[in-house]
Structures are given as structure tokens and as C-alpha cells.
Amino acid sequence: MGRTYIVEETVGQYLSNINLQGKAFVSGLLIGQCSSQKDYVILATRTPPKEEQNESPTHSKAKLDNLDEEWATEHAHQVSRMLPGGLLVLGVFIITALEMGSEFQNTLRRLVFAVEKSVNKKRLWNFTEEEVSERVILHFCSSTKKIFCRTYDIHDPKSSAKPADWKYQNGLSASWLSLECTVYINIHVPLSTTSVSYTLEKNTKNGLARWAKQIENGIYLINGQVKDEDCDLLEGQKKSSRGNTQAANHSFDIRVLTQLLLNSDHRSTAMVQICSGSVNLKGAVKCRAYIHSNKPKVKDAVQAMKRDILNTVADRCEILFEDLLLNEIPEKKDSEKEFHILPHRVFVPIPGSTVMLCDYKFGDESAEELRDHFLEMLDRMIQIEDLEIAEEINTACISSSMDTEASLDNTDDEQPKQPIKTTIVLKIQQNIGVIAAFAVAALAAGISFHYFSD
């Protein structure tokens, strides 16, 4: 028997309301959450048409072979940034006026593999062997309203289609659980005489990869307690008169303890490295994850939060580098210092759901621009008053404190704490002279932990 997909009823209404407007097809993404027994689909969004497709009516007779795979996968990559922890792109859909044929299935098969590759190519984490590796393709016939649903194992390029059940449910995510965490980051990346010639983006990614191991190996407190990973997340919660755990609008506070030494049981020799600069990434990030309320496990909640922490930091850096490239801002040379503020996070609710989506905003971007981006990427018209800015930025205060290295490193004495706590700051010091970076790891009797959350 194949997998079962429990689908929010509004997703079915969304698919039914899409008008082909003379086009041969409309494709898009299915968004939700995997679990060991079944998958949950809470959102669908069409791939936005290209500008030339909007302007030219000749595309109305285009064949399915003309599906722009590169455009569709880039859309999937952009959408994946707007998903909090626990949510994934579960697959793809296509809507046509004709019933399912072999050409549709072959196209969807190629697309679902390409989308999966696109959304995971720059991640700081990997899927575990125990996780579900099947992704769904859905064909919806606008004429007959028939649905054709199949899954593929994305870890096996030669996998064949498996049947799957598609079942609608009203208010699917109305009682999902939310997890919230604030993580303080202070990543220092020494640049050797070799790596100093690399791009800022590459050096930053190298530093993030090492930091990601700390996050993966950290200890996670749930409402101040360490819980066994195989325990039910809702264990000990109040029960209703029917015996069901009351999980509606329930939020968990997550705090992260990270080890000071990644390999405390492994003896390491001291190493001296000649460096010509450094990259520093510091600040605070607001992280959120969501998990279904059907007997969730502690390990599922922790995993969702870990991945949101890793995703939001990596995504912000990537967005910054794209912005620098788009605006053709050159990297500074010689002894000059670069200072960039990464975009901060904004959340917006899904009507009828406890789940919120997110986006990223630079200080000079308006709420209207955010609204337009949600409409383009997720095909959702949001209300500006619903935007929840998770992190405020006091740019004037931060920029004045970054004129010298001393003012950045001693903000406790010279600047108020709040600006540094409410934004991520990327500081680059290139060619500031030859310094020695000492990395010493010693065998410790116990494991020390650094309190890495507020």
C-alpha cells in the first residue's frame, strides 16, 4: 500500500479555482510535512508565469514539453526560504484540461526530482536514513476534476511510481504545535593566506558548515526540560473530556545548549595557522518550527527546530550575497573593512491555521514589497497589518558602532545592547595584517556547554 496524504480542504479549493486561461497546463508546488505514517499537505502554490509568457498569447497552445524546468526549480528554491522549520516542498502538481497520460507522468517525474535537488543543494543539513524519501506528483484534470496521485523515491533516480491516497480534511493545521527559539550567533572564521583570496560567500559558507555541527550536536531544552527523544512531545499535557490531548494554540519554548568542544573525547594537537583576515557573523535570530499534533515525538520537534536554525542563517547570508551581486557592490580590498546587515525575518499567518510563513526584509524594503513578494511566490494576498516583524533593526546605532574594530568588539561599554541582539551582523576584515590563529582542543573530563539561547 502506498503513502497517504492528508490534505487541507483549502488546497483542493485552490486547485479547482485555478483557471488555465487557454494555457496547456499550470504547474506548482505542494507544501507540508512528512511523518512516518502519513504526510500532511497544508498549502499549494502555482509557479508564477514568466513575464514574456504574460505578454505573449502564443504560449496558450504550448505543449507540456515546454515546461520550463529551470524556472520551476528556481521558484521552488525561493519558496523553500519562506517555509519555517517542519515544512517542506513535498512535491509538485500539474493542472491540465486533459486526463492523465504518460507524457504528463514523465514530465512530473523529471520535475519532482529537479525540485528536490534545487531546494536541498545549499542546505547545511542532510536527511537521515529513517526519514521519508518519497515525494508526490499530482495531476488535476480541470475538466473532470479527477486526481492522479503517485510518489517517487527521490533517493533512487531509477525508482518507479507508487500509488498514493489523497484525502481531504478540514482545518488540518488549525491545532498544529509551534516551537519558538532565539539563537545568538558569534561565528569567527579566520582566513588563511590561501582562503583570503576566496570570495566572501565561500569563506562564509565554510564557517557556517563548522557552526552547523555545533547546532546538530547541541542539547535542546523544551520548556526548560531535557526530554527523551522517543517520548511523546505532548506527554504530561492536559487531556480533554474525550481523552484527547488539548494541543490547540500550544507553543513550546526551545533553548539550545552547544558544546564548546565538538570532539571532547578526541585528543587534538595545537595548530598555528597564519591568517590574513577574518569573517565574523554575529547577532540574534528568531526561529520557529511547526509540527502536527497527531502524537508527535520529541525528536521530530527537535529536528524541525534544528533545521529552521540552520536554514534561516544560511538563507539570510545567501540573500545578502544575491543582493550584493544584483546591486553590483564590489568587495573592498586591502585593509578596508566591510560591514553588512543581513535581512531580518518577518512572519505572516496562514488563515485558519496556527502555522505561519516567513520572508526576509532589508531595512530599506517596504511592507508593500513584502506583500508583492508573497503574492508572486506563494500566490497569496496578505494583509500588511498581519505582518509580524520578528527582529527590529536600529541601523543608525549599529552603523555608528562599527567604525572601528574596538567599537564592535566592546559594544557592552560603548553602545546599547539592544541593536546587536536584534539583528545579525556580518563583519569582514580582509588583510588586516598577519595574525596567528591558535586552535587548541584538549581532552576534557566532562563536556562544557555554552548557553546559546536567550
Side-chain angles (χ1 to χ4, degrees):
M1 184 178 177
R3 290 192 66 76
T4 297
Y5 287 84
I6 308 300
V7 187
E8 173 62 58
E9 280 190 356
T10 55
V11 172
Q13 296 169 5
Y14 176 81
L15 297 176
S16 298
N17 292 336
I18 290 180
N19 190 341
L20 293 176
Q21 296 179 335
K23 297 184 179 69
F25 63 89
V26 169
S27 64
L29 307 172
L30 299 169
I31 297 165
Q33 187 170 104
C34 293
S35 73
S36 58
Q37 297 180 340
K38 61 188 71 173
D39 291 348
Y40 304 93
V41 180
I42 66 170
L43 202 63
T45 178
R46 62 185 295 172
T47 300
K50 280 189 171 181
E51 291 183 3
E52 58 264 29
Q53 292 176 349
N54 282 329
E55 297 170 359
S56 176
T58 59
H59 287 268
S60 61
K61 295 182 180 180
K63 295 181 180 180
L64 197 60
D65 293 339
N66 293 335
L67 189 149
D68 192 330
E69 189 175 293
E70 183 180 358
W71 180 259
T73 54
E74 177 58 27
H75 173 238
H77 177 61
Q78 297 283 338
V79 167
S80 67
R81 294 173 174 174
M82 305 174 77
L83 305 181
L87 294 189
L88 297 170
V89 176
L90 294 181
V92 297
F93 71 82
I94 194 166
I95 300 174
T96 67
L98 303 175
E99 292 195 18
M100 187 67 175
S102 59
E103 69 276 13
F104 295 153
Q105 187 167 337
N106 292 335
T107 299
L108 286 173
R109 186 187 191 282
R110 292 195 305 270
L111 184 59
V112 76
F113 276 87
V115 163
E116 186 69 18
K117 182 179 180 180
S118 175
V119 298
N120 292 312
K121 64 182 178 182
K122 295 185 179 180
R123 290 299 185 216
L124 295 174
W125 51 268
N126 297 310
F127 287 102
T128 64
E129 294 182 357
E130 297 78 19
E131 287 186 85
V132 175
S133 59
E134 292 182 54
R135 295 294 180 265
V136 64
I137 64 167
L138 183 80
H139 175 262
F140 182 83
C141 178
S142 60
S143 302
T144 64
K145 307 300 181 183
K146 287 185 178 180
I147 286 178
F148 178 89
C149 185
R150 294 290 186 270
T151 62
Y152 288 97
D153 184 348
I154 44 91
H155 289 169
D156 180 10
K158 298 181 180 179
S159 66
S160 56
K162 296 179 182 179
D165 292 330
W166 187 265
K167 299 180 179 179
Y168 289 110
Q169 178 179 320
N170 187 34
L172 174 62
S173 59
S175 60
W176 279 23
L177 312 175
S178 66
L179 312 154
E180 299 189 11
C181 178
T182 300
V183 175
Y184 294 92
I185 297 171
N186 190 358
I187 304 172
H188 178 74
V189 187
L191 304 182
S192 66
T193 52
T194 301
S195 62
V196 76
S197 63
Y198 297 160
T199 63
L200 169 61
E201 182 175 5
K202 182 174 182 178
N203 283 322
T204 302
K205 286 181 178 178
N206 290 339
L208 289 179
R210 292 190 289 271
W211 166 76
K213 294 178 181 179
Q214 288 184 296
I215 298 300
E216 289 282 5
N217 297 327
I219 290 180
Y220 288 73
L221 306 181
I222 301 178
N223 289 342
Q225 298 180 334
V226 177
K227 296 187 176 183
D228 186 271
E229 64 176 14
D230 292 319
C231 287
D232 288 337
L233 181 63
L234 296 173
E235 187 176 40
Q237 302 293 324
K238 293 182 179 180
K239 303 261 185 172
S240 66
S241 57
R242 295 183 179 181
N244 298 322
T245 303
Q246 294 180 344
N249 300 322
H250 201 98
S251 178
F252 293 86
D253 175 63
I254 308 295
R255 301 194 178 193
V256 189
L257 306 179
T258 60
Q259 299 181 23
L260 290 178
L261 297 178
L262 290 178
N263 297 307
S264 58
D265 58 342
H266 177 70
R267 184 180 295 275
S268 176
T269 56
M271 179 183 68
V272 177
Q273 184 181 31
I274 304 301
C275 297
S276 299
S278 65
V279 174
N280 295 282
L281 181 65
K282 60 168 58 179
V285 289
K286 298 288 186 180
C287 305
R288 289 185 188 175
Y290 298 90
I291 190 168
H292 64 83
S293 54
N294 184 20
K295 299 180 180 179
K297 297 291 186 181
V298 169
K299 62 182 178 183
D300 298 326
V302 170
Q303 183 185 83
M305 181 53 71
K306 281 182 182 179
R307 291 178 178 176
D308 190 63
I309 294 171
L310 297 176
N311 286 349
T312 188
V313 174
D315 288 344
R316 293 176 208 231
C317 290
E318 186 180 9
I319 292 170
L320 171 66
F321 297 135
E322 289 175 354
D323 185 69
L324 295 179
L325 184 63
L326 184 65
N327 292 293
E328 298 181 341
I329 299 176
E331 293 186 17
K332 296 182 180 180
K333 299 179 181 180
D334 300 326
S335 61
E336 293 182 89
K337 297 177 183 178
E338 288 185 59
F339 175 74
H340 303 288
I341 296 177
L342 298 181
H344 58 295
R345 205 172 192 183
V346 178
F347 290 94
V348 65
I350 299 176
S353 172
T354 59
V355 177
M356 301 184 82
L357 302 170
C358 70
D359 203 355
Y360 297 95
K361 175 184 181 295
F362 286 104
D364 58 352
E365 288 185 286
S366 66
E368 288 75 19
E369 288 177 289
L370 279 175
R371 181 188 60 194
D372 294 343
H373 192 240
F374 270 100
L375 182 60
E376 181 184 16
M377 292 293 108
L378 295 172
D379 201 20
R380 304 182 71 85
M381 177 59 73
I382 65 170
Q383 302 300 317
I384 292 180
E385 57 268 23
D386 290 336
L387 289 173
E388 178 186 329
I389 300 178
E391 302 147 354
E392 295 286 356
I393 292 183
N394 189 333
T395 52
C397 182
I398 290 178
S399 61
S400 65
S401 69
M402 302 305 170
D403 291 337
T404 63
E405 182 181 358
S407 65
L408 178 66
D409 294 337
N410 299 290
T411 51
D412 290 345
D413 299 328
E414 300 182 17
Q415 296 293 337
K417 295 181 179 180
Q418 188 62 25
I420 295 299
K421 288 187 176 182
T422 55
T423 184
I424 302 183
V425 174
L426 185 63
K427 184 187 71 170
I428 306 92
Q429 296 169 253
Q430 296 282 7
N431 301 319
I432 59 173
V434 179
I435 62 173
F438 296 88
V440 181
L443 181 65
I447 299 176
S448 298
F449 291 96
H450 173 56
Y451 196 59
F452 207 37
S453 182
D454 70 342

